[in-house]
Amino acid sequence: MKSSYDIVVIGAGSAGVALSRTAAARGLSVLTVERAQVGGTCVNRGCVPKKLMWTVADAVSAARGLAGTGVLTQPPQVEMARLCALRAEKIESLRDIYERRLDGCGAELRRGEARVIEPGVVEVEGQRVEAAHIVLATGGHPVLPDIPGAELADVSHDVLQWTALPASILVVGGGYIGCELAAIHAALGAQVTVVTDTDRVLTEFSAPAAKTGQTNMEAQGIDVRTGLKPVRIEAATGGYRVTLTDGAVLTVEKVVMAVGRKPTLDLLGEMKEGATLGKNDALAVNDRFETSIPGLYAIGDCADRLPLTPVAVSDGECMGKQLAGEDAQPIDLAHVATSAFVIPPVAEVGFPPKRETIAEDSVSPLSAAVRDPAPQDYWAVAGAEGRVEAVSLVGDGAHEAIGWAAQCVLSRPPRDGMSRALAVHPSMSEEPMG
Ligand SMILES: Cc1cc2nc3c(=O)[nH]c(=O)nc-3n(C[C@H](O)[C@H](O)[C@H](O)COP(=O)(O)OP(=O)(O)OC[C@H]3O[C@@H](n4cnc5c(N)ncnc54)[C@H](O)[C@@H]3O)c2cc1C
Ligand SMILES: NC(=O)c1ccc[n+]([C@@H]2O[C@H](COP(=O)([O-])OP(=O)(O)OC[C@H]3O[C@@H](n4cnc5c(N)ncnc54)[C@H](O)[C@@H]3O)[C@@H](O)[C@H]2O)c1
């Protein structure tokens, strides 16, 4: 490790790796510091293990529906040990790919804990390094509520390392993580209860889409309890006893806390007091990812953007180009597609809750004829003055279709102009396309 670089990137997750590779490929000297695994949350304890589990859960859920109508003779059973072994292999291979990408791009990777000690100066395991640009790509971490026994609960990264399926699970929090973990484990065969303090789950999505998602979770057998919080968690024989604000007492094998995540900013020490924070205490940044502290930049989940992998990667690449003197602008968040991986997925682009609904419908998919239980679908297009700026989709394949909907909203088509292209029949896309 040298004593000075053009850029020190702290964190080798989605954002840090994207920035390091982009900047190093353009000839800048880059030091990337990582205290844990290269690949960060997405590869090791987020999107990747979650999506692998969801793929199996989605298939089992469809099979259970077919068994419900007698079309399949038996619902299949999941071999958890085999699934977990394959998951571990995939994570390992992706982590290797990320490490090789970093290695091959000319950036220097240093393992260890970094601290920003003053503007322009970082300390890595006792060694001082200077850089004109210090970039926080430190991601976020789960938070726990301040209640007795909270530390007895697991959080998402524990859950995604379970090697056996618990018989019963209480998930606290009805956001993306709580709903995804609930849907996956219910489909795999656990008895799941979700307790959330809001009046419905998935509050980041439009109400009709989220409510359809909640209806589908309930049809899957998940006990969704809204407007409630846990007040106490105690150890009990074979698991935990959880008391809720309405006085109910639940006894479950596992408790999962999914009550939100906070940006990881501890490495700033007292400098954090001087930093301007935005939503959820993330570092406020401008179009060049500059924070309010000179020479300190932020990208990914620790910056006040959208805590999603594609945003972390896009912002990392954008910042690398900017530092190399290229003309690059951060992506407009209104064009970022997102999906909660419940069963079937709830997916949106363009912030539908902020727009006027132009057309919407709740529909029963054709597959309902051969499945019991069968999911409910929903679609909506929203915008202003008849121009489509936002799309909501709930249904099989919604997480795939929403990416193309994002392409569509880039050009803000008039609603009636959408029928100049035709979707496949029968498919879930044909109705929203008009
Ligand atoms: C369970 C779960 C499921 C998710 N599913 C999806 C999904 O399906 N789709 C999606 O788009 N997003 C998903 N996300 C969100 C996505 O994972 C994050 O938005 C993304 O990983 C953020 O990348 P990042 O680079 O900002 O941070 P991270 O990937 O968290 O990387 C930060 C890195 O910084 C390192 N670090 C922190 N402090 C220091 C320090 N002081 N010194 C050295 N290193 C440090 C950490 O070890 C870490 O490796 C999910 C998140 C979770 C938790
Ligand atoms: N599929 C995806 O793209 C995906 C998946 C997972 C996470 N993420 C990202 O990670 C971010 C964080 O997700 P998250 O689910 O951890 O957080 P979140 O903030 O989205 O959800 C937390 C939920 O817990 C509820 N809650 C808070 N305290 C509670 C309490 N004491 N009792 C009961 N309920 C309580 C909140 O009202 C909220 O609904 C998301 O915003 C998303 O950007 C994305």
Side-chain angles (χ1 to χ4, degrees), residues 29 31 66 75 92 107 145 165 172 185 206 222 224 240 253 320 389 421 426:
S29 65
L31 174 70
L66 295 171
E92 186 70 44
L165 183 69
V172 183
H185 289 88
S206 62
I222 300 171
V224 181
Y240 303 96
E253 188 178 333
E389 298 174 331

Side-chain angles (χ1 to χ4, degrees), residues 50 145 172-178 180 195-198 203-204 228-230 258-261 307-308 338-341:
K50 182 275 303 290
V172 183
Y176 279 84
I177 294 180
E180 289 181 344
V195 165
T196 196
D197 61 358
T198 50
T203 52
E204 291 185 37
L228 294 173
K229 293 182 183 191
V259 297
R261 292 171 62 82
L308 295 174
T338 182
S339 173
F341 285 95

Side-chain angles (χ1 to χ4, degrees), residues 60-86:
V60 173
S61 177
R64 190 165 295 129
L66 295 171
T69 55
V71 170
L72 272 189
T73 47
Q74 280 181 22
Q77 295 300 308
V78 176
E79 273 298 336
M80 276 299 279
R82 180 75 183 130
L83 168 56
C84 295
L86 292 172

Side-chain angles (χ1 to χ4, degrees), residues 90-232:
K90 184 65 188 173
I91 292 173
E92 186 70 44
S93 82
L94 280 176
R95 202 186 292 146
D96 279 356
I97 290 171
Y98 266 70
E99 286 185 12
R100 271 188 270 121
R101 275 187 191 159
L102 254 188
D103 215 25
C105 76
E108 189 179 329
L109 173 64
R110 172 77 154 88
R111 302 282 181 171
E113 180 89 30
R115 271 188 327 126
V116 184
I117 49 179
E118 59 187 80
V121 185
V122 172
E123 193 184 86
V124 187
E125 305 285 327
Q127 249 182 292
R128 195 182 149 94
V129 190
E130 293 183 9
H133 308 95
I134 294 177
V135 187
L136 260 56
T138 48
H141 55 272
V143 293
L144 292 179
D146 186 15
I147 56 165
E151 71 288 351
L152 297 172
D154 283 350
V155 293
S156 56
H157 56 244
D158 303 311
V159 176
L160 292 169
Q161 288 179 37
W162 286 349
T163 51
L165 183 69
S168 57
I169 308 170
L170 169 63
V171 177
V172 183
Y176 279 84
I177 294 180
C179 289
E180 289 181 344
L181 294 178
I184 289 168
H185 289 88
L188 294 179
Q191 187 58 52
V192 180
T193 305
V194 173
V195 165
T196 196
D197 61 358
T198 50
D199 65 351
R200 61 172 162 89
V201 299
L202 297 174
T203 52
E204 291 185 37
F205 291 80
S206 62
K211 283 182 185 155
T212 308
Q214 183 169 327
T215 302
N216 288 335
M217 287 171 69
E218 287 165 344
Q220 243 190 299
I222 300 171
D223 177 5
V224 181
R225 304 191 189 188
T226 55
L228 294 173
K229 293 182 183 191
V231 290
R232 184 180 324 114

